[in-house]
Amino acid sequence: MHLVPILGHMPGSHCTKDIQKNITSAAQPTSSPATTGFTELQPLMAHLDLPSEHMEANDPVQPAGATTLQRAWARFLKGVSYFSGDMAAFGKWMEKQFILLQLLDWVLRGAAQVMFVNNPLSGLIIFAGLILQNYWWALNGFVGTLSATISALILQQNRGAIAAGLYGYNGILVGLLMAVFSSAGDWYWWLLLPNIFMSMMCPVVSSALASINSRWDLPVFTLPFNILVCLHMVATGHYNPYFPQVLIQPRSQMPNITWAEVNVAKLFKSIPVGIGQVYGCDNPWTGGIFIISLFISSPITCVHAVLGSAAGMVSGLALAAPFGDIYFGLWGYNSVLACIAIGGMFYALTWQVHLLAITCAFFCAYLSSAISNIMSRFGLPACTWPFCLSALTFLLLTTGTNRIFKLPLAKVTYPEKNLGFFWKLKKQEKKEKRKAIEDQVTLNDKLQLRIELERMEEGRVASEISDSKNDSAPPAEHQDTAEEVRNNDLTEVTFADYV
Amino acid sequence: MHLVPILGHMPGSHCTKDIQKNITSAAQPTSSPATTGFTELQPLMAHLDLPSEHMEANDPVQPAGATTLQRAWARFLKGVSYFSGDMAAFGKWMEKQFILLQLLDWVLRGAAQVMFVNNPLSGLIIFAGLILQNYWWALNGFVGTLSATISALILQQNRGAIAAGLYGYNGILVGLLMAVFSSAGDWYWWLLLPNIFMSMMCPVVSSALASINSRWDLPVFTLPFNILVCLHMVATGHYNPYFPQVLIQPRSQMPNITWAEVNVAKLFKSIPVGIGQVYGCDNPWTGGIFIISLFISSPITCVHAVLGSAAGMVSGLALAAPFGDIYFGLWGYNSVLACIAIGGMFYALTWQVHLLAITCAFFCAYLSSAISNIMSRFGLPACTWPFCLSALTFLLLTTGTNRIFKLPLAKVTYPEKNLGFFWKLKKQEKKEKRKAIEDQVTLNDKLQLRIELERMEEGRVASEISDSKNDSAPPAEHQDTAEEVRNNDLTEVTFADYV
Amino acid sequence: MHLVPILGHMPGSHCTKDIQKNITSAAQPTSSPATTGFTELQPLMAHLDLPSEHMEANDPVQPAGATTLQRAWARFLKGVSYFSGDMAAFGKWMEKQFILLQLLDWVLRGAAQVMFVNNPLSGLIIFAGLILQNYWWALNGFVGTLSATISALILQQNRGAIAAGLYGYNGILVGLLMAVFSSAGDWYWWLLLPNIFMSMMCPVVSSALASINSRWDLPVFTLPFNILVCLHMVATGHYNPYFPQVLIQPRSQMPNITWAEVNVAKLFKSIPVGIGQVYGCDNPWTGGIFIISLFISSPITCVHAVLGSAAGMVSGLALAAPFGDIYFGLWGYNSVLACIAIGGMFYALTWQVHLLAITCAFFCAYLSSAISNIMSRFGLPACTWPFCLSALTFLLLTTGTNRIFKLPLAKVTYPEKNLGFFWKLKKQEKKEKRKAIEDQVTLNDKLQLRIELERMEEGRVASEISDSKNDSAPPAEHQDTAEEVRNNDLTEVTFADYV
């Protein structure tokens, strides 16, 4: 249990998307660290079948025999906890460091937050993947994240949200995609000007959208990025002399699809490429690196990312998309994000939610096709509009079942921890229910005891009566007296029990 | 008054569009059945000029002479009540039947709910009209309604709303219009796949939109259908090898309009055709059948449907639309729906509301032209977007007059019953006002009496005083005593009055 | 202080954009007129350095020497107050006049409200500017304002809002721009029909949008105008035989921009032209007249209008817009409105807000380019969509600093008065804070006094003890007693202080 003190201090505000509620949520202590810390880690050690309460009780008096293995395991978990999840211990340590180092932490977390991952190590790996793809794009992404984070600081946005990278992820996407869609070629330094301006507008648009979405307890997702990149691209356009954009045109003839030509290897490769396309990268190795960065922080996120990408690829085939688009990952990236968001991030992961996430991935792929067709009329890419719209739709869904549980936005961290929160909540509910039933049962038992006692007494009284041959008292009064006796007895016994 | 017990048990939840508030509204008993039942039927028997309260009082002691006619009339009304309105008695009976039979009821109600009619008989007639138009379309419509209803059951949506067909009407439109706009020809069985998928998404989108619209107490109308059909059409498009759509192109030259060529007979025929186009049908007989189905459930709805279609046709002529479009009913169907929605369905019908409904129909026709021009750029039809947007705008209107009364969404049933609700509310208000005035008047009368009494007493006291020549008591004290007397008197009299 | 009684009666409801909250705000008396009236005028007399409270105190006992100049100044201010700001005195006087005269006042205020100016004189000057531009356009503008105002009266909208011209400004824009964009030529009388219909729909759309926007305490800006003019233009289009629109087409080739050809004089002239383009006028003299009309009512508004127009012009140059568009003022008018709205109108003017307003003007110009590119695909102009969207975004922004203070919508009047409201609020806060600190200080002083007293007493007690050599009482008890004594003393002294 060495890891408990480290994990127990995870600030609730560290990964929350709800900027307004941050302060209040941070103010609510999440019960005692010793009990919560362990429950939170459980999903990461699923093959550890002992119930946590049992373990806690056993821990101090572990039998000497099993100690070595368990200790090694605990040490391993402790090691894992340092760089998995949201790296809260590291975040806490960072708070006391030099501001520039902190800023670096925030930028790295921002880079990873595109995939809902609040982890600087993942962010670092993602930057490595970007550099592998294209130096110039990586630079633009970095400048974008930095500008957005600084702008959020200037506008005095919530510090917890900034530290969690929630103001950076739109910045990195704006920076990257403006570079990706520029047709002026790499190392066109003038591009940094609109890049910085648009990235600095991110916190403004984020804050404005959060004011609206918070009414429904919804996150803003990548809507600011979508709005700002589309804004820049359509404001300049393909025919702009200063900032020309790549030419995107609507399809105007039947694509030639021959199933014999399908390349299965490329189809499989399209799954990591789809994950890479979240950042506009078509290099499968970059996509693979991104998968690793996801796995480090949260295996559930990683699985859903892969499933989402696959669902997108299948949808592409079903809707007769040109194979080139599918290989290029254009059908995958929105489904990746939608599947992550629904599958464990904003809903607590159950089987029903898992199915819902996959349905959402398919719906998102459909929507992706529709939106890219519409946007192409304006020379625009689909960006991540399909993801935002489909995920928001599925998050607005209200159902009668308690197996689809939407987490309050202030409690959202990462799937494993969310699940822990959900389980704790359910256990509490169950305990309360069981207690209520037990109370009921105890009461019933007592009542039965009372009735039996009364019957015996009545028998005694009756025999006394029959003995004394005294028939003057009416039966009604007698019954009243008996009842009074019973009540008094009950009160006494109950009182005794409580004492 | 035989019909009272049947009508009196109408569950308020049966036709409500407000899914969230359903349970609470069902929990509020709508006062005693004897008084409400009759008021509700009144609009259906408008030539019965006796005030309802008067009739109720008279009913038990009817003079022998008028009995026969009145009894026959009551029996007729009872018969009508079985299949008019929302057929609540039938719905109640259905609750105890086999689930498949119930499902059929829900599907039929869903088919009619497109026109805001919660009536399985109307639904049956509408399906007859669809079969008259095209077998394949009718089949797709049925599959769509069924899929949507089943999907709502899976997602554990509100049972009352499902039973009222509120999850089916988007499904039937999705199914029908996907068949109508497919250019793959009839009996292209693959179409059923996206049809079922999109219909099953209906409850998801409905529930999501309801989460938003319920903040303003607004219904979702056919927005889910609009979103999903546009989604499918634009995701596949005209050039899709699997699911090709009909080619819709924007107008790019001056239409040739010669007023001499106008065909008045066709113009008149465009009114039922416009009603038929709500379901995508251009057969005037189908439109005529739909008119009958509306009349059965609610004559007010029927009248507004015809007025709306006429308003749309006139707008088409005023805005120089090609005659072909007008004959085809494209200018009518949105105005039909908008006119029904405003004219008595979501507002209580008064003359002001009637005028508002006609204004809305014209505005909707204008909007219809605008939206179809915009949508045609993307190869899309206007669907019922114009209706949704114009009706929502007119429902969001706030005015200072109490003659434009928007019903709470949980109380919306059908125009005649809505009107009954409105009248009851107004009568209550009037009664309260009258009572308040009467109380005031009584109080004033008493006060005047008191003052007169006091004057007389004062006179008596004064004379007594003058008689006894006893001037030791100061006048102030004397007045106090008089006032005390007055107060005591007043209390006594008031008390006596209340006893 | 002669002007105080006149200004003091300014009804708060007179210029408010919040229709719902109007009645409540009118019901809240804005403290005593004597104190508020003067504070409100302060910004208009910035070189008067005396604090207002000081002046008020001095006023009745002014030394005879300084009287003449000060009196002249006061008289001048009084004169200015009659036609500057929102001309509340005039509005009050108007309330007792003939209804047609009142209607004229409302129409003139409506004409000026496009620029957020609630001033009939400004409205009159603006109409003069319009007549200078084009008689037919001015007529259409007048008809539009009149229709919109009458329609609002029919729909029984809030009287205060109507009187402030808040239902007229969309009408004048609808009327003007429908005339501007009609390609049927001037004096095509049929145009008045759709003009009147659309203007009469303004209050409907305004009221509907206000129902939505009021949830976030946001104004509707010119959204109704944007919606209705776009509706009319796209419903008819360029190829309509009755109401043809000018042909607007998207750019499809690289514009030829040679910096040598730039005309600096024309660039400077584009600043007033940009202000004129708010009303669709390209005459620089008209723009100049509009600047005068703004200065009359509110110098802050005027400054921000000029800054906004300049920011738009610069953005146009930066984004490689064709010089012709910039000269024509197309890059300026949205930024003008956005800069006015943020710079002092809906936020209280501070340096931070001033910078925010300029940022918003640049963002708005960017957005303007984007939206005009998108709208041109549908043959539509950008209208004032960019202004509405950018201003709403910046008004939804939430920051941690109290230097960016968004006024409650019911308190919005004009920048100078808003600033007065903000200063008063801050002064109150400061006073409360100072009082709290003083209380704290007093308490601390007392406590210190208490402790010293106690020490002295303790010393006395100790000496007494040492004198009597009585060591039987334990030290703990002794200390308790001392503390009791201290407490008692404290209570007494505190009590004495309060008495």
Side-chain angles (χ1 to χ4, degrees):
Chain A
M1 296 304 291
H2 302 261
L3 57 152
V4 165
I6 298 141
L7 283 173
H9 295 289
M10 281 182 196
S13 68
H14 229 276
C15 189
T16 173
K17 296 244 169 178
D18 190 16
I19 297 146
Q20 272 76 32
K21 295 184 181 172
N22 245 339
I23 300 151
T24 52
S25 84
Q28 297 163 359
T30 52
S31 74
S32 69
T35 51
T36 53
F38 202 80
T39 326
E40 281 152 7
L41 251 198
Q42 272 194 332
L44 283 176
M45 39 180 183
H47 39 294
L48 208 76
D49 274 327
L50 293 168
S52 64
E53 279 182 28
H54 184 228
M55 271 199 65
E56 275 173 46
N58 274 1
D59 238 27
V61 287
Q62 274 172 7
T67 313
T68 325
L69 194 71
Q70 284 201 354
R71 253 188 220 156
W73 181 242
R75 229 169 257 167
F76 171 69
L77 284 182
K78 185 184 165 181
V80 165
S81 81
Y82 276 125
F83 57 84
S84 75
D86 49 10
M87 286 182 65
F90 181 76
K92 208 171 165 52
W93 175 77
M94 261 295 171
E95 278 172 33
K96 295 157 213 148
Q97 305 306 311
F98 183 52
I99 181 74
L100 281 185
L101 217 64
Q102 270 187 283
L103 201 61
L104 189 73
D105 179 40
W106 302 341
V107 164
L108 292 179
R109 284 177 191 268
Q113 274 285 11
V114 175
M115 297 276 207
F116 306 102
V117 164
N118 179 9
N119 188 313
L121 186 63
S122 299
L124 200 66
I125 296 172
I126 283 167
F127 266 117
L130 292 178
I131 288 168
L132 180 70
Q133 169 82 33
N134 186 315
Y135 289 104
W136 170 242
W137 296 1
L139 174 68
N140 272 277
F142 182 78
V143 169
T145 330
L146 198 67
S147 310
T149 308
I150 289 171
S151 165
L153 286 171
I154 293 172
L155 285 167
Q156 301 202 7
Q157 300 295 302
N158 181 282
R159 261 296 168 99
I162 294 173
L166 293 180
Y167 284 103
Y169 70 94
N170 283 300
I172 193 177
L173 288 176
V174 166
L176 267 174
L177 275 297
M178 272 171 70
V180 170
F181 290 115
S182 165
S183 72
D186 287 358
W187 308 107
Y188 176 68
W189 291 96
W190 286 106
L191 189 65
L192 287 180
L193 279 183
N195 183 341
I196 290 170
F197 180 72
M198 281 297 165
S199 303
M200 293 193 82
M201 291 305 300
C202 276
V204 175
V205 179
S206 282
S207 172
L209 286 174
S211 299
I212 294 173
N213 283 14
S214 65
R215 294 288 164 113
W216 289 274
D217 205 30
L218 291 175
V220 300
F221 288 130
T222 52
L223 282 174
F225 147 67
N226 287 324
I227 291 168
L228 290 168
V229 161
C230 287
L231 181 54
H232 170 72
M233 287 190 70
V234 91
T236 50
H238 181 64
Y239 299 110
N240 193 287
Y242 301 165
F243 307 111
Q245 309 299 328
V246 294
L247 186 62
I248 297 172
Q249 278 185 315
R251 206 194 306 175
S252 58
Q253 61 184 36
M254 194 77 78
N256 191 14
I257 292 169
T258 328
W259 275 91
E261 283 174 10
V262 74
N263 186 332
V264 179
K266 274 191 176 172
L267 275 186
F268 273 97
K269 218 156 64 182
S270 82
I271 292 176
V273 173
I275 294 172
Q277 281 288 4
V278 170
Y279 293 84
C281 299
D282 63 341
N283 189 331
W285 294 108
T286 301
I289 288 173
F290 291 172
I291 292 177
I292 292 166
S293 80
L294 291 181
F295 186 80
I296 284 172
S297 170
S298 155
I300 294 178
T301 298
C302 183
V303 168
H304 279 97
V306 173
L307 283 177
S309 194
M313 183 256 284
V314 170
S315 305
L317 293 176
L319 286 174
F323 291 134
D325 287 5
I326 299 174
Y327 299 156
F328 197 60
L330 292 185
W331 281 80
Y333 69 98
N334 278 299
S335 298
V336 165
L337 290 171
C339 201
I340 294 175
I342 303 298
M345 187 56 71
F346 295 99
Y347 282 117
L349 189 67
T350 56
W351 277 109
Q352 288 85 337
V353 165
H354 182 69
L355 292 177
L356 201 70
I358 289 169
T359 314
C360 184
F362 278 106
F363 182 68
C364 179
Y366 224 118
L367 195 59
S368 168
S369 171
I371 287 178
S372 70
N373 278 348
I374 285 180
M375 303 290 268
S376 67
R377 308 263 162 168
F378 306 105
L380 288 174
C383 297
T384 55
W385 287 107
F387 146 62
C388 290
L389 298 181
S390 59
L392 288 176
T393 304
F394 274 75
L395 284 179
L396 278 168
L397 179 67
T398 49
T399 62
T401 168
N402 68 344
R403 301 292 299 166
I404 297 179
F405 174 77
K406 188 172 162 249
L407 288 126
L409 202 49
K411 293 292 179 196
V412 168
T413 48
Y414 54 94
E416 286 79 9
K417 202 170 169 183
N418 292 342
L419 207 52
F421 176 78
F422 175 60
W423 284 346
K424 223 173 63 192
L425 218 76
K426 275 195 76 177
K427 211 178 278 171
Q428 241 174 16
E429 264 176 34
K430 248 188 209 164
K431 219 182 258 173
E432 274 163 27
K433 219 181 239 171
R434 201 183 303 149
K435 211 194 146 192
I437 290 169
E438 273 170 16
D439 286 1
Q440 196 60 41
V441 167
T442 322
L443 217 74
N444 285 348
D445 285 0
K446 276 182 204 162
L447 268 176
Q448 279 196 332
L449 209 75
R450 252 3 64 212
I451 289 161
E452 273 173 37
L453 265 170
E454 197 197 341
R455 273 188 199 150
M456 282 159 65
E457 273 182 31
E458 260 180 62
R460 197 155 41 95
V461 172
S463 61
E464 275 171 23
I465 288 165
S466 60
D467 281 356
S468 59
K469 307 287 181 203
N470 190 352
D471 276 349
S472 62
E477 259 180 48
H478 161 239
Q479 212 164 346
D480 276 14
T481 326
E483 224 154 354
E484 260 175 83
V485 169
R486 184 172 56 181
N487 284 342
N488 286 347
D489 273 9
L490 187 66
T491 327
E492 272 165 42
V493 172
T494 314
F495 182 72
D497 277 7
Y498 280 122
V499 171
Chain B
M1 295 302 288
H2 302 262
L3 59 151
V4 165
I6 298 141
L7 284 174
H9 295 291
M10 280 182 197
S13 68
H14 230 278
C15 188
T16 174
K17 295 243 170 182
D18 190 17
I19 296 147
Q20 273 74 32
K21 294 186 180 170
N22 243 337
I23 301 152
T24 51
S25 83
Q28 297 163 357
T30 52
S31 75
S32 68
T35 51
T36 53
F38 202 81
T39 326
E40 282 151 6
L41 252 199
Q42 272 194 333
L44 284 175
M45 39 180 182
H47 39 293
L48 208 76
D49 275 327
L50 294 168
S52 63
E53 278 183 29
H54 185 228
M55 270 199 68
E56 276 173 46
N58 274 3
D59 240 25
V61 287
Q62 273 171 4
T67 312
T68 326
L69 195 70
Q70 284 200 354
R71 254 188 219 157
W73 181 241
R75 228 169 257 168
F76 171 70
L77 283 183
K78 184 184 167 181
V80 164
S81 80
Y82 275 125
F83 57 84
S84 76
D86 49 11
M87 285 182 67
F90 181 75
K92 207 171 167 52
W93 175 77
M94 259 295 172
E95 277 172 32
K96 295 157 213 149
Q97 305 305 312
F98 183 54
I99 181 76
L100 282 185
L101 216 65
Q102 270 187 285
L103 201 61
L104 189 73
D105 179 41
W106 301 343
V107 165
L108 292 179
R109 283 176 192 267
Q113 275 285 11
V114 176
M115 296 277 207
F116 306 102
V117 164
N118 179 10
N119 187 312
L121 186 63
S122 299
L124 200 67
I125 296 171
I126 283 166
F127 265 117
L130 291 179
I131 287 168
L132 179 71
Q133 170 82 33
N134 186 315
Y135 289 105
W136 171 242
W137 295 2
L139 175 68
N140 271 278
F142 182 78
V143 168
T145 331
L146 198 67
S147 310
T149 308
I150 289 171
S151 166
L153 286 170
I154 293 171
L155 285 166
Q156 302 201 9
Q157 299 296 301
N158 181 282
R159 261 296 168 97
I162 296 174
L166 293 180
Y167 284 102
Y169 71 94
N170 283 300
I172 193 176
L173 287 176
V174 166
L176 266 174
L177 275 296
M178 273 171 68
V180 169
F181 289 115
S182 165
S183 73
D186 288 359
W187 308 108
Y188 177 68
W189 290 98
W190 287 106
L191 189 65
L192 286 181
L193 279 182
N195 182 340
I196 290 170
F197 181 73
M198 281 298 166
S199 303
M200 293 192 83
M201 292 305 299
C202 277
V204 175
V205 179
S206 284
S207 172
L209 286 174
S211 298
I212 295 173
N213 283 14
S214 65
R215 293 288 165 112
W216 290 272
D217 205 31
L218 291 175
V220 299
F221 288 131
T222 51
L223 283 175
F225 147 68
N226 287 325
I227 291 168
L228 290 168
V229 160
C230 288
L231 181 54
H232 170 72
M233 287 189 70
V234 91
T236 51
H238 182 63
Y239 300 110
N240 192 287
Y242 302 165
F243 307 110
Q245 309 299 328
V246 294
L247 186 63
I248 297 172
Q249 278 184 316
R251 206 193 308 172
S252 57
Q253 61 184 35
M254 195 74 80
N256 191 13
I257 291 170
T258 328
W259 274 91
E261 282 174 11
V262 74
N263 186 332
V264 180
K266 274 190 174 172
L267 274 187
F268 273 97
K269 219 157 63 182
S270 82
I271 293 175
V273 173
I275 294 172
Q277 281 289 5
V278 171
Y279 292 85
C281 300
D282 63 341
N283 189 330
W285 294 107
T286 301
I289 287 173
F290 291 171
I291 293 178
I292 292 167
S293 80
L294 291 181
F295 186 80
I296 284 172
S297 170
S298 156
I300 294 177
T301 298
C302 182
V303 167
H304 279 98
V306 173
L307 283 175
S309 192
M313 184 256 285
V314 169
S315 305
L317 293 176
L319 287 174
F323 291 134
D325 287 5
I326 300 174
Y327 300 155
F328 197 60
L330 292 185
W331 280 80
Y333 69 98
N334 277 299
S335 299
V336 165
L337 289 170
C339 201
I340 293 175
I342 303 300
M345 186 58 70
F346 296 98
Y347 282 118
L349 190 68
T350 56
W351 276 109
Q352 288 86 336
V353 165
H354 182 68
L355 292 177
L356 200 70
I358 289 169
T359 313
C360 183
F362 278 106
F363 181 67
C364 179
Y366 223 118
L367 196 58
S368 167
S369 171
I371 286 178
S372 69
N373 277 349
I374 285 180
M375 303 290 267
S376 66
R377 308 264 163 165
F378 306 105
L380 288 174
C383 297
T384 55
W385 286 107
F387 146 62
C388 289
L389 298 181
S390 60
L392 287 176
T393 304
F394 274 75
L395 284 180
L396 278 169
L397 179 68
T398 48
T399 63
T401 167
N402 69 344
R403 301 291 301 165
I404 297 180
F405 174 77
K406 186 169 163 251
L407 287 126
L409 202 49
K411 292 291 178 198
V412 168
T413 48
Y414 53 96
E416 285 79 9
K417 203 169 166 182
N418 293 341
L419 207 52
F421 176 79
F422 175 60
W423 284 346
K424 223 173 62 193
L425 218 76
K426 276 196 76 177
K427 210 177 279 170
Q428 243 173 15
E429 264 175 34
K430 248 189 209 163
K431 219 182 258 174
E432 275 163 27
K433 218 180 240 171
R434 201 184 303 148
K435 213 195 145 191
I437 290 169
E438 273 171 16
D439 286 1
Q440 195 59 41
V441 167
T442 322
L443 216 73
N444 285 348
D445 285 1
K446 275 182 203 161
L447 267 176
Q448 279 198 332
L449 208 75
R450 245 15 54 217
I451 289 161
E452 273 174 36
L453 264 171
E454 197 196 341
R455 272 186 198 152
M456 282 159 66
E457 272 182 32
E458 260 180 65
R460 197 152 44 90
V461 171
S463 62
E464 275 171 23
I465 288 165
S466 63
D467 279 355
S468 58
K469 309 287 183 202
N470 191 352
D471 277 347
S472 62
E477 261 182 47
H478 161 239
Q479 210 162 349
D480 276 13
T481 326
E483 224 156 351
E484 259 176 87
V485 170
R486 183 171 57 182
N487 284 340
N488 286 349
D489 272 10
L490 188 66
T491 328
E492 272 166 42
V493 173
T494 315
F495 183 71
D497 276 7
Y498 279 122
V499 172
Chain C
M1 293 304 289
H2 301 262
L3 58 152
V4 166
I6 297 141
L7 283 174
H9 295 291
M10 281 182 197
S13 67
H14 230 277
C15 189
T16 174
K17 296 243 168 180
D18 191 16
I19 297 147
Q20 273 75 31
K21 293 183 181 171
N22 243 339
I23 301 153
T24 52
S25 84
Q28 298 164 357
T30 53
S31 75
S32 69
T35 51
T36 53
F38 201 79
T39 325
E40 282 150 6
L41 252 197
Q42 272 193 332
L44 284 174
M45 39 180 184
H47 39 294
L48 207 76
D49 274 328
L50 293 167
S52 63
E53 278 182 27
H54 184 229
M55 270 201 65
E56 275 174 46
N58 274 2
D59 238 27
V61 285
Q62 273 171 5
T67 313
T68 325
L69 194 71
Q70 284 201 354
R71 252 189 220 156
W73 181 243
R75 228 169 257 167
F76 170 70
L77 283 181
K78 184 183 165 182
V80 164
S81 81
Y82 276 126
F83 57 85
S84 76
D86 49 10
M87 284 182 68
F90 181 75
K92 208 171 166 53
W93 175 76
M94 260 294 171
E95 276 172 33
K96 295 160 212 147
Q97 305 305 312
F98 183 52
I99 181 75
L100 282 185
L101 216 64
Q102 269 187 285
L103 202 61
L104 189 73
D105 179 41
W106 301 342
V107 165
L108 292 180
R109 282 176 192 268
Q113 275 285 10
V114 175
M115 295 278 206
F116 305 102
V117 165
N118 179 10
N119 187 312
L121 186 63
S122 298
L124 200 67
I125 295 171
I126 283 167
F127 266 117
L130 292 178
I131 288 167
L132 179 71
Q133 169 81 32
N134 186 317
Y135 289 104
W136 171 242
W137 295 2
L139 175 68
N140 271 278
F142 182 77
V143 168
T145 330
L146 198 67
S147 310
T149 308
I150 289 171
S151 165
L153 287 170
I154 293 171
L155 285 167
Q156 302 201 5
Q157 299 296 302
N158 181 282
R159 261 295 169 98
I162 295 173
L166 292 180
Y167 284 102
Y169 70 94
N170 283 301
I172 193 176
L173 287 176
V174 166
L176 267 174
L177 275 296
M178 273 171 70
V180 169
F181 289 115
S182 166
S183 73
D186 287 359
W187 308 108
Y188 175 69
W189 290 97
W190 285 108
L191 189 64
L192 287 181
L193 279 183
N195 183 339
I196 290 170
F197 180 73
M198 281 299 165
S199 303
M200 293 192 83
M201 291 306 299
C202 277
V204 175
V205 178
S206 283
S207 171
L209 286 174
S211 299
I212 294 173
N213 283 14
S214 64
R215 293 289 165 113
W216 288 274
D217 205 31
L218 292 174
V220 299
F221 287 132
T222 51
L223 282 174
F225 148 67
N226 287 324
I227 290 169
L228 289 168
V229 160
C230 287
L231 182 54
H232 171 71
M233 286 190 71
V234 91
T236 51
H238 182 63
Y239 300 111
N240 192 288
Y242 302 165
F243 306 111
Q245 309 298 328
V246 295
L247 187 63
I248 297 171
Q249 278 183 316
R251 205 194 309 172
S252 57
Q253 61 185 35
M254 195 77 77
N256 192 13
I257 293 170
T258 328
W259 276 90
E261 283 174 11
V262 74
N263 186 332
V264 179
K266 274 190 175 174
L267 275 186
F268 273 97
K269 218 158 63 181
S270 82
I271 292 175
V273 173
I275 294 172
Q277 280 289 4
V278 171
Y279 293 85
C281 300
D282 62 341
N283 190 330
W285 294 108
T286 302
I289 288 174
F290 291 171
I291 292 177
I292 293 166
S293 80
L294 291 181
F295 186 80
I296 284 172
S297 169
S298 156
I300 294 178
T301 299
C302 182
V303 168
H304 279 98
V306 173
L307 283 177
S309 193
M313 184 256 285
V314 170
S315 305
L317 293 176
L319 287 174
F323 291 134
D325 287 5
I326 299 175
Y327 299 157
F328 197 60
L330 292 185
W331 280 80
Y333 69 98
N334 277 299
S335 298
V336 165
L337 290 171
C339 202
I340 294 176
I342 303 300
M345 186 57 71
F346 296 98
Y347 283 116
L349 190 68
T350 56
W351 276 109
Q352 288 86 337
V353 165
H354 183 68
L355 291 177
L356 201 69
I358 289 169
T359 314
C360 184
F362 278 106
F363 181 68
C364 180
Y366 223 119
L367 196 58
S368 167
S369 171
I371 287 178
S372 69
N373 277 348
I374 285 181
M375 302 291 267
S376 67
R377 308 263 164 167
F378 307 104
L380 289 173
C383 297
T384 54
W385 286 107
F387 146 62
C388 289
L389 297 181
S390 60
L392 288 176
T393 303
F394 274 74
L395 284 180
L396 277 169
L397 179 67
T398 50
T399 62
T401 167
N402 68 344
R403 300 293 300 165
I404 297 180
F405 174 77
K406 186 170 162 251
L407 287 125
L409 202 49
K411 293 292 180 198
V412 168
T413 49
Y414 55 95
E416 285 79 9
K417 202 169 169 183
N418 292 341
L419 207 51
F421 176 78
F422 175 61
W423 284 346
K424 223 173 61 192
L425 218 75
K426 275 195 76 179
K427 210 177 280 170
Q428 242 173 17
E429 264 175 34
K430 249 188 211 164
K431 220 181 261 173
E432 274 162 28
K433 220 181 239 171
R434 201 182 305 150
K435 214 194 146 191
I437 289 168
E438 274 170 15
D439 287 1
Q440 196 58 42
V441 167
T442 321
L443 217 73
N444 285 347
D445 285 359
K446 277 182 203 161
L447 268 175
Q448 279 196 334
L449 210 74
R450 246 14 55 213
I451 289 160
E452 276 174 35
L453 265 170
E454 198 196 339
R455 274 185 198 151
M456 282 160 64
E457 273 183 32
E458 261 178 64
R460 196 154 41 94
V461 171
S463 63
E464 275 171 24
I465 288 164
S466 61
D467 280 356
S468 59
K469 309 283 183 206
N470 191 354
D471 275 347
S472 62
E477 260 181 45
H478 161 239
Q479 210 162 350
D480 278 12
T481 327
E483 225 154 352
E484 260 176 85
V485 170
R486 183 171 57 182
N487 286 340
N488 286 347
D489 274 9
L490 188 67
T491 328
E492 271 167 41
V493 172
T494 314
F495 182 73
D497 277 8
Y498 280 121
V499 169

